[in-house]
Every structure is written in C-alpha cells, then in structure tokens.
Amino acid sequence: MKTPIYSQLLKHKSLDYSPFHTPGHKNNGFFPKNLFELDFTELPDTDALYEAEGIILETEKNLAKLFSAKRSIISSGGCTLAIQTMLRLASQRGKKILFARNIHRSAVNACALLGIIPKWILPKSVNGLFTGRILPEDVEREFINDTEISALYVTSPDYYGELTDIKTLSEICRKYNKLLLVDNAHGSHLAFLKENQHPIHLGADMSACSLHKTMPVLTGGAVLNIGNSEFSENAKSAMSLFGSTSPSYPIMASIDICCDYMLNGNGIADYRLLEERAAKIKALAKEYDIIQPQGLCDSTRICINTNGIENQTEFFHSYKIEPEFCDGQNAVFICTPFNTERDFQRLETAISNIKTIPQSKKDFSFELPEIKSTPREAVLAESEIIAVENSLGRISAESACPCPPGIPVIMPGEVINKNTVSQLREYKFKYITVVK
Ligand SMILES: Cc1ncc(COP(=O)(O)O)c(C=O)c1O
C-alpha cells in the first residue's frame, strides 16, 4: 500500500505517546464512531454555511449561548478564517489598527490581503523567557497620539498561556471608542474555568477562537464570537470572502457535539477538574524550581522552562510524551479533559527528572524597524528568497518570528537593519523573503 500520509499517521499512533498537543479531543473516543460516514455537503436538508438558516444557524445559536456572544459564526477553516473574518469586519471602521506585535502570521497575512495598516505595540516581558503582555498605559498613549487608530488587536492567551488584561483594555477601548479584537485561538475553554477569562465575557468586541486547539472538536473547527452586534449582520458575507465553498460537515458536526457536551453534558465539570489536575503539575514544577510564566495565566496550560536539556523533543519522547511545542528553551503542553491520568503521570515523571540550570534573564528589547511600505505592498510585490547575511537594507516580504519570545523581529514592508540581521542569526534563521 503506497499511502504516505495515512501510513505515517498509523505509525505515529502506534508509538502511543501521551498527546499534549492539539486537537483537544486527543483521539480519545469522544465522537460517535459514525462521524466519518457523515461527510455530506450543502444539500437541501443540510443548510449552507454562509446562508445559514436551518441546522447550522441552530448550532451557531447554541454557540452564542455557550460563549455569551451576540452572534457566533462557525468556521471549518480554522481560527485563521475566523481571524480573517474579524479583521475584514473591523477594517470597515478604519484601516489603521493597533496590533500587539506578538501576532500570528494569519493576522499579518490578513492585513496584507485587506490593506490594513498596522501600528505596533510591544509586549513587555518580565524576564525575556516568555512573550509578556502589552501595558494598558501604552495602549492609552497610542490612542491619544494617533486618533486614526480604529481598533486594538491582541493575542490572548499567548502560546505560553500568558493572559493579557482584557478587562482593563476593553474599558480603555470603550473610553476612546475603539474596537477590541482578540485572537483567542488558544483560549476557547477560558469561558468554562472557575474564573471566566473568555474575552467576550471581559468585554471584547470580537474574538476568534480555535475550538479544535483546547476543546473536543476536529482539527479546523473554530468560531468567531461577536460581542458587538454592529458586526452581526455582515459576518457571514465577510467570512465568505475567504472561506471555502465546501465547508466540512464532520468538522461542523464535531462543533455541534462539543457544544452539546458543554451545554448539556459534563463539559464544565470536566474542565474544572482539569484545572485542579493542572494546578498539581504546575506546583510540582515549582517544587523543582522550574521557571514558568507568571501573573495572569491560563490555568490549564503547562509551560516550563527546560534550560539545560539539549534535545527537548528527545527528552520528552523518552517519557512517551509529545509536547505541543518545544522552542529550545521552553516546552508547552496543551492539557484537556481528554488527556488521561496516565498522560499526566508521565508528564509529572518527566518534570521530576528535569535538572534545570538557572536561566539568565534575556533582553529582547528592540527598536521597531523602519517601515518602507504597507504589508500589502510588500507581500504582493515581486520577491526573492535570500540569505539572512545578505539582507541588510532590504525590505522584508514576510514576517519572521523567533520563539521565544514569539514577537516577530521583522514584518512585511519593514527594512531589515543590523539588529534584525543579528537577531535573525541568533535565532537560526538562514533565509528571508525580501522585495525584489
Ligand atoms: C495565536 C494563534 N492564532 C491563530 C492561529 C491559527 O489557528 P488555526 O490553526 O486554527 O487556523 C494559531 C495557530 O497555531 C495561533 O497559535
């Protein structure tokens, strides 16, 4: 049988690693077995995603109830599609948007596609080991200095589980009549924790949530939650600008099943138990003096600094663990109620065998590079891939993001300066796409 993808997935499954990565269902038997016999399309009795008035609309109403949103729109094209939709809707208020610099490339690309002019605000990290958060006073200053800004866009939680103070930011946005847009790709479940930290609950106008990352939903399942009814009416047409005309019914059905589990099943109780289990793991890591993100954080996300471990992937594989992400210094583990007790015990064993070397404080302060063109002009221009060594003075046609701290050192349209080159080198980037 010559089936490279299928065969490798079977091989990976046979390794029996504990899955601390997406999707949130962890292939752990959550869905009815017949889900893959239900791969239908838009038929007279199966509704249509962009003209939903039947079963899809009904599920979207359930989602809106679940997330206390004015309207919720299903995406089977991941959070990327929800982010594109959110930015399309917001850009109708104005093209200049203030972005916390730690944005995912889906937002950078959406800026290019939509002709959005980004203004950047840098997160402040306490120790340079994780991303850090933007400060409300910095946001307020930007709003006062540049009245053309129409919205603030932040990523919260970030990959490491750090939460931004959405409540305070939403008060500032309201005061200055700006929109608050939140990339909540990693935080759909925040609505169900002991303390509801979901951006919609805390006052965001719109929030893109990657359901499949932390909840039992098939990969690709996401939702745009709308907290400001000004955007409800046009949301479907905004999404149809980018989305496939063949949305996946198994993905949409998995969202429906997840919604029922949260609204009518054990979902909320399960996430509360998960918080308690994750708290024990975090406490254990603390006992072993392992550095973790501080301040307001997602209580279910485990992120540990593993300084001193040469090959992180090999280390965790030796404990039969597959992390979500290892960045050379930190390891990130996505925990959901669909992880088993055996998974958590393996993680605890690994943690208790980490011999950390005290991590020195890293300085990631950098000047924002000079802007020569908009992201749109740079991304759509003729481009070439060149060695980082030869890139001084060239205009980047892409974003390059070292992890940590997850803050791009260069964005499309910015001029590569000496600092950029040395940072790209330090973070082992070899090539960069530049405008010809
Ligand atoms: C912060 C953030 N935003 C958006 C996305 C895109 O989400 P999706 O893969 O569901 O399209 C990701 C994916 O990793 C992400 O980490």
Side-chain angles (χ1 to χ4, degrees):
M1 202 162 70
K2 292 256 184 310
T3 53
I5 297 178
Y6 177 63
S7 303
Q8 181 55 33
L9 292 179
L10 287 177
K11 200 167 151 195
H12 181 83
K13 188 172 166 53
S14 73
L15 293 171
D16 194 28
Y17 287 148
S18 287
F20 286 103
H21 49 80
T22 71
H25 60 78
K26 313 282 180 182
N27 291 307
N28 200 3
F30 173 72
F31 300 115
K33 292 263 177 299
N34 64 359
L35 193 59
F36 291 102
E37 292 161 26
L38 304 176
D39 186 17
F40 289 108
T41 186
E42 294 177 338
L43 300 169
D45 61 348
T46 61
D47 209 0
L49 181 58
Y50 306 122
E51 294 87 29
E53 48 186 31
I55 52 172
I56 294 178
L57 180 62
E58 209 178 312
T59 296
E60 289 181 332
K61 284 185 177 163
N62 289 336
L63 284 166
K65 191 169 156 197
L66 191 59
F67 290 105
S68 309
K70 294 281 187 326
R71 190 167 186 195
S72 295
I73 305 288
I74 287 177
S75 156
S76 71
C79 200
T80 298
L81 180 57
I83 287 170
Q84 289 167 329
T85 308
M86 177 162 78
L87 284 170
R88 163 92 178 118
L89 288 165
S91 66
Q92 287 163 354
R93 270 250 199 130
K95 291 279 184 210
K96 197 187 259 189
I97 294 180
L98 183 62
F99 285 87
R101 179 92 171 180
N102 58 321
I103 59 169
H104 188 252
R105 66 183 164 169
S106 55
V108 180
N109 294 340
C111 285
L113 294 172
L114 292 163
I116 289 172
I117 299 161
K119 243 195 134 179
W120 304 110
I121 185 163
L122 285 167
K124 302 266 187 328
S125 174
V126 180
N127 51 18
L129 300 178
F130 309 107
T131 308
R133 301 156 175 99
I134 54 165
L135 302 179
E137 55 268 33
D138 289 350
V139 171
E140 192 155 14
R141 195 175 320 110
E142 291 288 345
F143 285 169
I144 292 167
N145 290 344
D146 188 344
T147 52
E148 280 179 15
I149 293 169
S150 58
L152 170 68
Y153 181 110
V154 298
T155 303
S156 177
D158 64 21
Y159 223 83
Y160 304 110
E162 294 172 312
L163 292 167
T164 301
D165 183 356
I166 299 295
K167 189 162 185 293
T168 304
L169 291 180
S170 79
E171 282 157 13
I172 295 172
C173 285
R174 214 165 302 127
K175 179 172 162 195
Y176 291 90
N177 193 27
K178 314 290 179 192
L179 298 172
L180 178 57
L181 316 171
V182 183
D183 173 350
N184 183 47
H186 290 268
S188 306
H189 62 290
L190 294 176
F192 316 114
L193 303 182
K194 268 185 218 119
E195 245 179 79
N196 187 341
Q197 297 285 358
H198 196 276
I200 293 294
H201 175 73
L202 300 175
D205 291 278
M206 286 185 268
S207 166
C209 304
S210 207
L211 294 170
H212 67 93
K213 291 197 196 305
T214 58
M215 301 197 64
V217 162
L218 289 179
T219 297
V223 60
L224 174 64
N225 285 314
I226 299 172
N228 177 344
S229 42
E230 175 186 335
F231 300 105
S232 297
E233 200 183 321
N234 293 334
K236 286 281 174 182
S237 75
M239 186 177 273
S240 70
L241 182 70
F242 298 104
S244 163
T245 49
S246 303
S248 158
Y249 272 77
I251 292 176
M252 293 195 289
S254 77
I255 293 175
D256 189 24
I257 293 165
C258 169
C259 207
D260 182 56
Y261 162 67
M262 297 310 300
L263 280 173
N264 309 311
N266 284 339
I268 293 191
D270 288 351
Y271 275 87
R272 300 280 165 88
L273 283 176
L274 173 69
E275 281 188 281
E276 286 171 22
R277 191 66 187 89
K280 285 190 188 149
I281 300 172
K282 290 183 191 212
L284 180 77
K286 193 165 176 226
E287 245 175 67
Y288 282 86
D289 289 329
I290 294 172
I291 303 173
Q292 304 174 70
Q294 298 299 310
L296 195 60
C297 287
D298 172 3
S299 52
T300 70
R301 175 73 49 111
I302 310 285
C303 172
I304 52 174
N305 185 265
T306 60
N307 191 35
I309 293 176
E310 278 286 302
N311 187 331
Q312 295 171 303
T313 307
E314 208 174 84
F315 175 82
F316 288 109
H317 280 179
S318 72
Y319 293 92
K320 295 197 78 100
I321 287 172
E322 191 75 79
E324 162 70 14
F325 177 60
C326 290
D327 65 18
Q329 292 177 20
N330 306 305
V332 173
F333 304 87
I334 296 181
C335 305
T336 76
F338 301 90
N339 283 110
T340 61
E341 182 52 29
R342 184 185 71 162
D343 296 338
F344 295 130
Q345 283 172 9
R346 282 179 176 173
L347 184 53
E348 285 175 334
T349 309
I351 285 174
S352 51
N353 281 292
I354 293 175
K355 311 263 181 303
T356 41
I357 298 172
Q359 178 74 288
S360 53
K361 209 170 154 175
K362 293 200 81 174
D363 182 18
F364 190 77
S365 56
F366 71 96
E367 297 271 309
L368 287 171
E370 182 195 352
I371 297 172
K372 260 283 158 54
S373 72
T374 63
R376 183 178 176 81
E377 285 162 345
V379 166
L380 301 184
E382 217 183 317
S383 62
E384 58 182 334
I385 299 170
I386 61 168
V388 165
E389 320 301 319
N390 304 329
S391 66
L392 185 65
R394 301 291 297 267
I395 300 171
S396 182
E398 63 174 343
S399 64
C401 183
C403 284
I407 301 171
V409 290
I410 195 82
M411 290 285 189
E414 292 177 346
V415 182
I416 297 168
N417 61 31
K418 268 193 196 153
N419 256 342
T420 324
V421 173
S422 67
Q423 273 165 345
L424 288 173
R425 265 207 220 113
E426 188 187 336
Y427 288 101
K428 313 260 185 295
F429 283 86
K430 289 201 175 98
Y431 301 96
I432 181 117
T433 309
V434 295
V435 173
K436 239 183 179 172

